[in-house]
Amino acid sequence: MTNMHLAELNVGRLIAPVDDLRVGEFMANLDKINGLAKRMPGFVWMMEGAAGTGNTDSAIDGDPQFIPNLSVWESIETLETFVWGTIHKQFYQRRQEWFEVLSDLHFVMWWVPVGHQPTLDEALARLEHLRAHGDSDHAFGWAHLAEAKMHQTHGCRDTKVA
């Protein structure tokens, strides 16, 4: 879509507070991974917290252990390359070391007009829509997009883990 970019929200809940040693390796690498995303071809924008490239200060439902990642990409292919074709994949594969298993769907994508920077409230509303109605053009997961191929071979399934 030439007039549209792809927004994504991924919400995880840490197994411990951000300053706990159990999540220390994840926290120590958060700026590195987000910095890599920002240098990737096709990266457009990322919601950032006050402390830097990681957004660990946007508590969801008042819970500071929820970590939302909200970003915008030029296309599904550029997002897939970052998720599955960089060191990010190694952190994704180790997510159970740092994140709780969530009972609800925690990942959503949707198209936004070029130049739009979605708010966390907007993104959470899209996630709720996906939870309530399943994949649609309004809110969707990887399988909804025919051009999304890498998730099929790189292990992203209907998982409830952040």
Side-chain angles (χ1 to χ4, degrees), residues 140-153:
F140 46 85
W142 294 106
H144 185 69
L145 299 172
E147 62 272 34
K149 303 291 184 198
M150 293 180 78
H151 76 98
Q152 297 171 4
T153 57

Side-chain angles (χ1 to χ4, degrees), residues 108-121:
V108 64
M109 295 181 284
W110 70 100
W111 296 107
V112 296
V114 170
H116 179 67
Q117 295 177 352
T119 65
L120 182 56
D121 286 343

